[in-house]
Amino acid sequence: MIRRFKPNVLVGHDELGEYGHGQHSLNTYSLKQVLDKTNHADFFTDSYKKYGGWEVPKTYFHSYSKNKIILNFDEPLANFNGKTAFKVSKESFLEHKSQTGKRFYNWIYKDYQKATEIEKYSPIEWGLYKTTVGEDKIKNDLFENIEFEVKKQMNKQFFLSPKQKLMFLLLSIIILVKIKQILTLKKL
């Protein structure tokens, strides 16, 4: 998938699986194992032949303790009818039916008005695990130091505002949750 989609930024669960979820831990462990191999022809040679190699410029893990950044999930987003990223994430999380039990009651149903109010498993805290484009200096932007292909190809300046970047991240998360739901239903 990394070779096929060639992401500029990857985000993953924290290394302990957030609240100890084994699949989340395994997901991050697996990601760490392949990050340095996806650009090598001798690693899964068929996908290398089909898509070529790719080295992800930036990889973040949730709650990672090094190279910390804080994302603003509390700013209203025009493309989501003025909802904040936090509100959209809460609504999206409700679609993840197997995860909406007691363990997440406070995060989903408690009267949190802002993501910054959440201390345990805070959605705004991330850390830069790996970079090929330099460490973050601003510490609030997943796409800092990323030069998009559009910019290179068009030879024009192409910038995403922080709101647009956050919207892009949220849409990616929503799409991944929906894909997981579809794949889970197909297995049944």
Side-chain angles (χ1 to χ4, degrees):
M1 299 233 344
I2 292 172
R3 287 174 174 160
R4 179 178 176 194
F5 294 106
K6 298 182 178 2
N8 286 306
V9 176
L10 275 178
V11 294
H13 294 287
D14 88 30
E15 295 176 290
L16 300 176
E18 307 298 341
Y19 48 88
H21 193 298
Q23 291 172 334
H24 294 173
S25 300
L26 182 59
N27 176 275
T28 299
Y29 173 81
S30 300
L31 181 57
K32 287 169 69 174
Q33 299 304 306
V34 302
L35 279 175
D36 292 325
K37 298 175 184 171
T38 56
N39 209 24
H40 299 287
D42 59 345
F43 181 71
F44 287 100
T45 56
D46 289 343
S47 74
Y48 187 88
K49 288 175 187 173
K50 186 171 183 177
Y51 302 112
W54 181 253
E55 187 169 19
V56 178
K58 294 177 85 174
T59 302
Y60 290 92
F61 292 140
H62 184 231
S63 300
Y64 189 63
S65 63
K66 297 177 183 170
N67 304 308
K68 285 185 172 188
I69 68 168
I70 303 293
L71 300 178
N72 185 350
F73 274 35
D74 295 327
E75 186 174 343
L77 303 168
N79 289 10
F80 286 95
N81 297 322
K83 293 178 185 176
T84 66
F86 177 57
K87 175 72 172 163
V88 172
S89 71
K90 285 174 70 171
E91 290 174 359
S92 301
F93 199 74
L94 288 172
E95 297 300 319
H96 194 5
K97 302 294 184 195
S98 68
Q99 300 294 313
T100 56
K102 288 182 179 181
R103 182 180 305 150
F104 296 101
Y105 183 86
N106 285 340
W107 188 62
I108 298 171
Y109 301 107
K110 192 172 178 180
D111 195 25
Y112 288 126
Q113 298 301 310
K114 296 181 176 186
T116 52
E117 296 173 352
I118 301 173
E119 293 179 19
K120 191 172 186 179
Y121 313 124
S122 173
I124 64 173
E125 297 175 4
W126 296 81
L128 181 60
Y129 172 74
K130 184 175 187 276
T131 179
T132 63
V133 295
E135 290 191 15
D136 296 326
K137 292 185 180 9
I138 299 171
K139 305 285 186 188
N140 68 356
D141 183 354
L142 295 171
F143 296 92
E144 184 178 342
N145 302 321
I146 296 293
E147 187 172 339
F148 291 90
E149 287 300 315
V150 173
K151 181 178 176 183
K152 293 177 189 175
Q153 292 170 2
M154 296 175 67
N155 199 20
K156 293 180 181 178
Q157 290 202 1
F158 178 78
F159 296 102
L160 292 175
S161 71
K163 282 184 183 180
Q164 290 170 319
K165 292 173 186 176
L166 191 52
M167 182 188 68
F168 179 76
L169 173 65
L170 285 172
L171 287 172
S172 299
I173 291 170
I174 291 167
I175 290 167
L176 289 173
V177 167
K178 291 295 183 186
I179 290 170
K180 183 176 179 183
Q181 289 174 340
I182 291 167
L183 293 174
T184 301
L185 288 174
K186 284 185 178 184
K187 289 180 182 177
L188 297 177

